[in-house]
Amino acid sequence: MAAVNVSIEEQESSGMSVKDKAKLQLKKFDIGDRFSHFPGGKASVLLPLMVKDGKLHLLFTVRSMKLRRSPGEVCFPGGRSEPTDKDEISTALREAQEEVGLHPEQAEVICRLVPLIDRTDSLVTPVVAFIEDTFQARPNPEEVSDTFFVPLEYFIRPSKYNVVTIQINGLPYLVHSFEYDDPERKTSFRIVGLTANFAVFLALAIFGEKPTFEVQYDLDNLNSSAMDSFLPQYERVKSKL
């Protein structure tokens, strides 16, 4: 896979921007509506990419302490599917509008990536979209206490990282944990679990580089190896419905 973190001179000579290169890469990993008819609980998260100072950045939210489930955790805008949602994209865009004031027309949706199963056995689909660098988040205080950006390359070359291996139905899974020191807020944020896994996969899909830590993917067959990891969990949950 070709990397997109090329020099400005290379970008100009190819006639393509960092954003355009990323979009081309991401479309190779689009799973479309393959899992849209999952009969169990479903949720979607939006992975909002922004180009700042010529580099890709990813928007995160911090869950309000008012929430009963996972208060204070770092996550992406997102939530449970509702009957009025047409698909996973609709869910992600609706939730992003409710949580951070991102209107659907402000997001250029690029693709849906391989989903994961969360702790409640719900199917969580990541939806990737680009947002303009002029976007100013307006957090809904009932759901979000803060928002911040992290350079996407941090998820292949982190400065503060650790991992634990857990067993799910006899299969080993890596749980990534990143600590990011935000230079603007002078605050450290911990990014872990499904949120970290989605960020890592997104960075691998776009940059196509070997990270400085171990991952459970075959980097030459990223999507198929992600499917190999996901499908046993998917089939396990389906069998219980």
Side-chain angles (χ1 to χ4, degrees):
M1 292 178 290
V4 302
N5 56 333
V6 296
S7 68
I8 293 176
E9 291 80 6
E10 288 174 312
Q11 293 170 35
E12 290 176 346
S13 64
S14 68
M16 295 182 67
S17 66
V18 168
K19 180 178 179 179
D20 288 337
K21 286 179 178 289
K23 287 164 63 175
L24 279 179
Q25 282 295 106
L26 286 169
K27 287 175 181 178
K28 301 175 186 177
F29 298 93
D30 187 10
I31 64 161
D33 61 357
R34 176 170 176 178
F35 299 102
S36 295
H37 303 293
F38 177 67
K42 293 196 299 183
S44 294
V45 293
L46 190 71
L47 278 55
L49 283 168
M50 177 186 287
V51 180
K52 297 173 62 178
D53 301 321
K55 291 187 176 182
L56 297 172
H57 288 68
L58 199 50
L59 172 69
F60 293 88
T61 66
V62 180
R63 290 175 61 83
S64 170
M65 296 303 294
K66 300 178 183 180
L67 296 172
R68 288 183 297 174
R69 186 174 63 85
S70 305
E73 283 192 5
V74 170
C75 60
F76 290 113
R80 301 291 179 187
S81 173
E82 294 187 356
T84 53
D85 295 334
K86 185 177 72 172
D87 55 19
E88 299 90 350
I89 294 173
S90 298
T91 301
L93 293 177
R94 174 181 53 75
E95 289 285 345
Q97 182 169 5
E98 293 174 3
E99 293 181 9
V100 297
L102 178 70
H103 294 280
E105 61 269 18
Q106 293 177 294
E108 181 187 0
V109 174
I110 308 303
C111 66
R112 283 169 278 190
L113 301 177
V114 176
L116 291 172
I117 301 293
D118 72 6
R119 68 190 74 172
T120 68
D121 280 349
S122 293
L123 182 79
V124 184
T125 300
V127 177
V128 185
F130 270 97
I131 59 177
E132 293 298 325
D133 59 4
T134 54
F135 173 71
Q136 296 291 324
R138 299 185 302 280
N140 174 355
E142 296 300 314
E143 299 189 56
V144 175
S145 64
D146 201 0
T147 64
F148 64 99
F149 284 93
V150 179
L152 185 61
E153 64 185 7
Y154 195 78
F155 298 102
I156 52 173
R157 291 187 294 274
S159 57
K160 296 182 179 180
Y161 167 85
N162 62 65
V163 64
V164 296
T165 302
I166 62 173
Q167 295 283 327
I168 301 178
N169 296 299
L171 298 174
Y173 286 87
L174 299 180
V175 179
H176 304 288
S177 178
F178 299 85
E179 186 175 342
Y180 178 68
D181 298 326
D182 189 314
E184 295 180 8
R185 286 169 170 72
K186 310 299 182 185
T187 302
S188 293
F189 295 100
R190 182 170 176 260
I191 305 164
V192 68
L194 261 66
T195 300
N197 281 350
F198 285 143
V200 168
F201 187 88
L202 180 65
L204 293 174
I206 290 177
F207 293 119
E209 295 181 12
K210 184 177 180 180
T212 57
F213 51 89
E214 181 185 357
V215 293
Q216 284 184 282
Y217 306 118
D218 176 353
L219 298 184
D220 293 323
N221 299 281
L222 189 56
N223 242 26
S224 60
S225 62
M227 284 289 188
D228 289 343
S229 179
F230 163 70
L231 286 174
Q233 297 302 317
Y234 178 75
E235 296 299 333
R236 174 185 64 82
V237 174
K238 277 187 66 177
S239 70
K240 298 194 303 183
L241 298 175

